Amino acid sequence: MTAALKERVSDRQSIHDWKTLADYLRCVIGHSTAEHFRVLYMDSGNKLIADETLAIGTYDSVEVFPREVLSKALLCGAAAIVLAHNHPSGNAEPSIADVRMTRRIMALAKELNIDVHDHIIVTRQGQSSLRTLGLMRP
């Protein structure tokens, strides 16, 4: 199943199906016992350029630096990004730290003309979207 989902979000296909993306992320990091922070880098047509694990943390945290997220975006010529990480606890609710970090990345990305489409938090059973929850406002 992971291979089929990965094929649907890779090979320079456009990513327009949020459910497929969430299912893919749940398969690749949703079952991990440590938090993994990934970034999907896309071109202006929402075609995947790169899918990178930027950090692996502990059971309940992962440290991410906005400069790492955005320097990679600049290097690969990304016009947009999707942030993603897992919560091994099984609770897909974003923490205050998750929201703050997302907003910091969004503010810096805006200066670089890079769109932050979403920040998806996945668990074994589900996921949440900061965009859907209305938490991606400045």
Side-chain angles (χ1 to χ4, degrees):
M1 176 139 161
T2 302
L5 286 168
K6 187 171 185 174
E7 186 176 323
R8 290 179 68 187
V9 296
S10 62
D11 297 330
R12 304 277 300 156
Q13 295 182 31
S14 292
I15 300 173
H16 297 287
D17 180 3
W18 189 87
K19 182 173 177 358
T20 299
L21 178 59
D23 288 346
Y24 164 72
L25 291 167
R26 202 169 53 252
C27 283
V28 296
I29 60 175
H31 297 275
S32 296
T33 57
E35 286 197 17
H36 290 239
F37 190 92
R38 293 175 83 100
V39 182
L40 285 80
Y41 298 93
M42 294 169 283
D43 68 14
S44 59
N46 287 333
K47 291 186 173 113
L48 187 67
I49 297 170
D51 172 9
E52 301 280 332
T53 298
L54 291 189
I56 299 173
T58 64
Y59 176 76
D60 63 354
S61 67
V62 63
E63 190 169 17
V64 179
F65 298 98
R67 70 176 171 262
E68 292 175 10
V69 173
L70 297 170
S71 66
K72 173 70 178 186
L74 292 171
L75 285 172
C76 67
I81 58 176
V82 172
L83 309 172
H85 79 282
N86 64 313
H87 280 178
S89 68
N91 180 357
E93 297 277 325
S95 68
I96 292 169
D98 294 336
V99 175
R100 282 186 187 142
M101 185 263 310
T102 301
R103 290 179 180 170
R104 278 185 62 211
I105 292 171
M106 287 175 60
L108 295 168
K110 183 177 181 180
E111 293 297 317
L112 299 171
N113 205 25
I114 298 169
D115 292 328
V116 180
H117 287 328
D118 207 342
H119 184 162
I120 300 170
I121 299 171
V122 298
T123 67
R124 285 184 177 98
Q125 286 82 28
Q127 67 277 329
S128 65
S129 156
L130 272 70
R131 174 141 335 262
T132 301
L133 293 170
L135 298 172
M136 292 188 63
R137 62 193 185 309

